[in-house]
Amino acid sequence: MVERLSWKKLAWELAFFYLPWFIIGWLFGGLPWLLLGATVAMLLWHLHQQVKLSDWLWKDKSLMPPSGTGSWEPLFNGIYRLQKRNRRRRKELANLIRRFRNGAESLPDAVVVFERDGAIVWCNKLAQELLGLRMPDDNGQHISNLIRAPEFVSYIADANYDVPLEMRSHLNSARTLEFRTMPYAEGEYLMVVRDITQLKQLEGMRRNFFANVSHELRTPMTVLRGYLEMTEDPEMVVGPMWPKAHGVMTEQLSRMESLVEQLLTLSKIEAAAKPELDHLVDVPAMLDVLQKEAQALSGDSEHVLTFEVDTSLKVKGNDDQLRSAISNLVYNAVKHTPPKAGITVRWYRASKGPRLEVQDSGEGIAPQHLDRLTERFYRVDKARSRETGGSGLGLAIVKHALSHHDAELDIQSELGVGSTFSFTLPERLAC
């Protein structure tokens, strides 16, 4: 190990260098000229060592120092140790930055680092997708110049980050974004941006759910209360109004019972874990029973019911959930199809798997309603739905039951022609 350079070592080196020249000059004369020559030789030697050092630092890419002698050897080795230490520190810092960036890229939220003056330092890929930023092109750009929404510009200008900012996305007004900003490093801030569109939709659905349930239950309860108050008069119980009152109360109780039953069914399907799809479901036998029930439900309407069923096609799945899905589709067709019109139910093996189709020849559904039909309590014609006893929960039940079987409800409809509700189960469930 080379010792570090010291004044004592340097003095001894100079003494040993000049001593021979001093002795020769003292013995043979010309001492001043010999000392001058020795000094010039030493300066040239130091100049050569300086050139070697400069070439190593600026031209040579090798980490290893050049060979040195005398006082230059500890200098070369000292610089080599310093470079080695700096390289190790840079490597550690690069690894730390890489781990931070990898962690930030793995986050489910957009992340932006910006300076106190608003200049962008870095952002992850999700921020580029969600906010429209581009890296490294936007590095150093003021963030409010790239996100020009007035509420965001005020948010950055006020620099009051105690309360998160919620606003519509400047790129897609259908999205709602939440901005949370916190101090990150000296003079820098870390902004986390989250897409809360689905959360807002769920909150709206929850509010609508309770409002709709309250509304749906309030109507029959009001009717029942009114008729029950009438029964306080003994003459009304035996009078001509009683048969009508009794029929209305029975009808309203049936409506409440149906609503509660559908709510419980929907709640049960949503709360249940995805079932093991290993139970054999005899769909042809199920459709045979549903055909009789649909005929009874049709009654005086005299719908023309046609069931085209592949009696050999059975599937694996959850019997209760599939029965709920199929029965709701069949019952909806009967309830919403005009009297004496045709309804066709098909169960067959398609190219992608077992397929059920329920086709009616009713009035059809306008395109703007199709995407919302599976929402809870959503009804195209509320007045007509109440007349037919519809609650707006049937297709929501169908949607969730099918999702547990890796299937989706497909709705095709044309005004004045009719509608077709269908789904295709995965081929692996066919038996």
Side-chain angles (χ1 to χ4, degrees):
M1 181 177 179
V2 181
E3 296 181 1
R4 65 183 180 88
L5 187 63
S6 63
W7 286 105
K8 184 177 180 181
K9 183 176 180 180
L10 186 59
W12 278 105
E13 183 178 317
L14 291 174
F16 279 111
F17 175 77
Y18 279 107
L19 182 61
W21 299 100
F22 183 81
I23 294 175
I24 293 174
W26 182 67
L27 292 175
F28 300 102
L31 178 62
W33 292 103
L34 286 174
L35 293 177
L36 178 62
T39 302
V40 171
M42 175 171 284
L43 290 175
L44 292 175
W45 178 75
H46 279 294
L47 179 62
H48 173 67
Q49 298 297 326
Q50 290 176 1
V51 172
K52 286 173 62 177
L53 175 62
S54 178
D55 290 343
W56 176 49
L57 293 176
W58 297 103
K59 297 180 180 180
D60 193 354
K61 296 182 179 180
S62 174
L63 181 63
M64 294 301 297
S67 58
T69 56
S71 59
W72 285 93
E73 184 177 7
L75 291 177
F76 286 152
N77 286 302
I79 296 175
Y80 164 72
R81 291 178 62 186
L82 182 62
Q83 283 189 330
K84 189 175 180 180
R85 185 190 309 161
N86 289 338
R87 288 194 179 190
R88 184 173 64 252
R89 289 179 177 176
R90 286 198 301 269
K91 186 176 180 180
E92 292 174 353
L93 181 60
N95 289 334
L96 182 62
I97 294 174
R98 184 170 61 253
R99 285 197 298 269
F100 164 76
R101 291 188 173 180
N102 290 339
E105 293 292 355
S106 301
L107 291 174
D109 303 321
V111 177
V112 182
V113 178
F114 64 95
E115 296 178 349
R116 183 180 288 110
D117 61 358
I120 296 175
V121 176
W122 179 84
C123 69
N124 63 357
K125 291 181 180 179
L126 187 56
Q128 299 179 48
E129 297 174 7
L130 203 60
L131 304 176
L133 304 179
R134 295 179 301 173
M135 293 299 290
D137 296 344
D138 291 337
N139 188 16
Q141 293 287 332
H142 198 285
I143 190 170
S144 61
N145 291 338
L146 303 175
I147 306 176
R148 295 180 175 273
E151 53 266 52
F152 182 80
V153 174
S154 300
Y155 176 70
I156 295 297
D158 295 341
N160 182 12
Y161 303 129
D162 295 335
V163 179
L165 170 67
E166 291 185 9
M167 58 172 257
R168 293 287 184 180
S169 171
H170 62 292
L171 300 178
N172 184 357
S173 59
R175 279 183 170 178
T176 302
L177 304 180
E178 180 189 65
F179 295 79
R180 289 182 179 271
T181 307
M182 60 214 75
Y184 174 60
E186 185 176 356
E188 293 183 351
Y189 290 95
L190 179 71
M191 176 181 290
V192 179
V193 186
R194 176 171 299 176
D195 187 347
I196 59 172
T197 306
Q198 187 177 9
L199 180 61
K200 289 295 182 182
Q201 290 175 346
L202 290 174
E203 289 179 357
M205 290 173 62
R206 179 180 59 84
R207 289 193 297 268
N208 291 336
F209 175 78
F210 286 111
N212 284 319
V213 169
S214 301
H215 178 74
E216 293 293 333
L217 291 177
R218 186 183 297 116
T219 300
M221 290 175 66
T222 301
V223 173
L224 288 173
R225 178 184 294 275
Y227 280 110
L228 287 174
E229 289 176 353
M230 289 174 57
T231 61
E232 294 178 357
D233 185 354
E235 294 182 0
M236 295 297 298
V237 178
V238 295
M241 288 291 295
W242 176 247
K244 180 181 178 181
H246 184 272
V248 172
M249 286 191 291
T250 302
E251 178 185 347
Q252 294 299 324
L253 282 172
S254 298
R255 182 179 171 187
M256 290 177 62
E257 183 181 23
S258 175
L259 175 61
V260 172
E261 184 178 347
Q262 287 193 313
L263 283 171
L264 291 174
T265 301
L266 181 59
S267 177
K268 180 180 178 182
I269 294 175
E270 286 184 328
K274 187 174 181 179
E276 296 292 337
L277 305 179
D278 54 2
H279 180 70
L280 182 64
V281 181
D282 191 344
V283 177
M286 182 190 301
L287 289 172
D288 183 59
V289 174
L290 287 176
Q291 183 176 6
K292 296 181 176 62
E293 293 178 355
Q295 196 69 55
L297 181 63
S298 175
D300 297 335
S301 297
E302 299 180 353
H303 294 103
V304 181
L305 298 172
T306 303
F307 278 67
E308 300 173 3
V309 180
D310 183 350
T311 56
S312 64
L313 182 56
K314 301 177 182 179
V315 296
K316 292 180 180 178
N318 183 279
D319 187 88
D320 292 336
Q321 293 187 14
L322 284 179
R323 179 179 293 275
S324 296
I326 296 174
S327 62
N328 271 289
L329 293 179
V330 174
Y331 295 161
N332 279 352
V334 174
K335 293 177 181 178
H336 299 290
T337 301
K340 298 184 179 181
I343 298 173
T344 302
V345 179
R346 299 184 183 91
W347 172 250
Y348 62 98
R349 185 188 295 271
S351 58
K352 295 183 179 180
R355 182 174 177 83
L356 179 87
E357 294 179 356
V358 180
Q359 182 179 5
D360 63 56
S361 53
E363 298 177 358
I365 305 169
Q368 65 267 25
H369 297 295
L370 294 180
D371 292 337
R372 300 191 60 190
L373 286 178
T374 56
E375 294 181 12
R376 299 175 181 86
F377 295 107
Y378 186 82
R379 290 172 292 200
V380 176
D381 187 344
K382 295 184 178 180
R384 185 181 172 197
S385 295
R386 289 195 179 94
E387 290 176 3
T388 58
S391 63
L393 292 173
L395 292 183
I397 293 174
V398 174
K399 174 186 175 181
H400 287 86
L402 292 181
S403 68
H404 285 178
H405 292 77
D406 298 324
E408 294 183 356
L409 178 64
D410 180 57
I411 306 174
Q412 302 293 330
S413 186
E414 185 177 349
L415 287 174
V417 177
S419 307
T420 300
F421 294 79
S422 61
F423 64 85
T424 303
L425 297 176
E427 179 62 32
R428 70 178 189 276
L429 299 181
C431 295

